Amino acid sequence: RHRPVQYVLGEAWFAGMKFYVNEHVLIPRPETEELVAWIIDEAAQGTQQVLDIGTGSGCIPIALKKGLPAASITSIDIDPNALQVAHDNATTLQADIQLIELDFLNESFWHKLPGYYDTIVSNPPYIKAMESNTMAKHVLDYEPARALFVPDNDALVFYRKIAAFASTHLNNAGSIYMEINEALGKEVKQLFEATGYHVTIKQDLQGKDRMIKASKAYYPPPSQA
């Protein structure tokens, strides 16, 4: 029936840890491990505030907490069933993260995230609905569509909202790390550059444009010499 073996077994491995998964969350991918490794490699050790948008199974914040134990990590998701999976994984793997049910696309809820963050991370939905006819049956039939697809006429909706949120919630020295649709790297880069960010696109191990880092543009004061 093409049901993914991870759902049959109720487990998937990520960053050397066994995570519980079911049909309410995406199966963690190797490229997401690369995103987490990129963040940990560049992050300053010590206390920092991290926001994870669209947590799913909790694989990103839990792996970040293991790599950055002093970080304070908040994770949000619109689906209470996904948050339950993330909670179970955080408990099992002994990762102290905060989980909040929140519809991030609704800006009226942003007041529930009052802090300023050093790192914002997200693996948001980014697949156009029209691309579904090229996808494998085991993905289409079993993985949660809400975590995969965006409207054809607004494929960058999550990136636009994240850029807007970060304009008032990202510390000046902070950065945003996101996975992207390999076909839309140029468009995502232009979106963030247009709102004042310095952008780096990173390829995954398959050579595909898969990750992006956006940092607030910082211009040092002129020399007083």
Side-chain angles (χ1 to χ4, degrees), residues 34-49:
E34 296 180 54
L35 180 71
V36 169
W38 189 14
I39 296 170
I40 293 173
D41 285 346
E42 294 196 343
Q45 291 292 332
T47 302
Q48 63 167 304
Q49 300 294 320

Side-chain angles (χ1 to χ4, degrees), residues 20-73:
Y20 166 64
V21 294
N22 60 25
E23 280 86 347
H24 294 298
V25 300
L26 294 179
I27 297 166
R29 268 47 173 199
E31 54 267 27
T32 307
E33 290 185 317
E34 296 180 54
L35 180 71
V36 169
W38 189 14
I39 296 170
I40 293 173
D41 285 346
E42 294 196 343
Q45 291 292 332
T47 302
Q48 63 167 304
Q49 300 294 320
V50 179
L51 176 65
D52 166 46
I53 299 170
T55 196
S57 67
C59 62
I60 289 177
I62 291 170
L64 285 176
K65 185 65 176 177
K66 296 295 185 180
L68 303 168
S72 176
I73 302 178

Side-chain angles (χ1 to χ4, degrees), residues 32-209:
T32 307
E33 290 185 317
E34 296 180 54
L35 180 71
V36 169
W38 189 14
I39 296 170
I40 293 173
D41 285 346
E42 294 196 343
Q45 291 292 332
T47 302
Q48 63 167 304
Q49 300 294 320
V50 179
L51 176 65
D52 166 46
I53 299 170
T55 196
S57 67
C59 62
I60 289 177
I62 291 170
L64 285 176
K65 185 65 176 177
K66 296 295 185 180
L68 303 168
S72 176
I73 302 178
T74 300
S75 292
I76 64 173
D77 203 289
I78 192 174
D79 185 357
N81 295 304
L83 286 172
Q84 184 60 55
V85 174
H87 176 270
D88 292 345
N89 282 321
T91 300
T92 300
L93 295 167
Q94 299 181 319
D96 182 14
I97 60 174
Q98 182 182 19
L99 298 166
I100 299 174
E101 182 180 342
L102 189 142
D103 178 3
F104 183 75
L105 293 185
N106 188 335
E107 295 184 19
S108 67
F109 293 138
W110 288 0
H111 70 277
K112 296 183 179 181
L113 301 169
Y116 286 85
Y117 301 97
D118 302 296
T119 299
I120 296 174
V121 58
S122 184
N123 178 18
Y126 55 68
I127 302 172
K128 291 183 178 181
M130 67 174 64
E131 296 178 77
S132 62
N133 59 2
T134 66
M135 296 175 66
K137 185 175 177 63
H138 68 269
V139 176
L140 284 176
D141 289 357
Y142 292 98
E143 297 203 61
R146 185 160 60 178
L148 292 168
F149 296 108
V150 287
D152 292 334
N153 64 350
D154 197 9
L156 303 185
V157 56
F158 277 91
Y159 301 98
R160 190 175 65 254
K161 292 286 188 177
I162 290 170
F165 175 84
S167 68
T168 54
H169 288 79
L170 183 69
N171 286 328
N172 286 333
S175 296
I176 312 164
Y177 296 83
M178 299 157 291
E179 286 193 45
I180 59 173
N181 185 324
E182 63 183 273
L184 297 175
K186 179 180 178 181
E187 290 81 355
V188 176
K189 185 174 187 288
Q190 290 175 341
L191 184 155
F192 277 90
E193 287 178 338
T195 50
Y197 293 89
H198 174 73
V199 179
T200 302
I201 294 178
K202 186 178 179 67
Q203 293 185 334
D204 64 15
L205 293 178
Q206 306 302 316
K208 298 177 180 179
D209 290 344

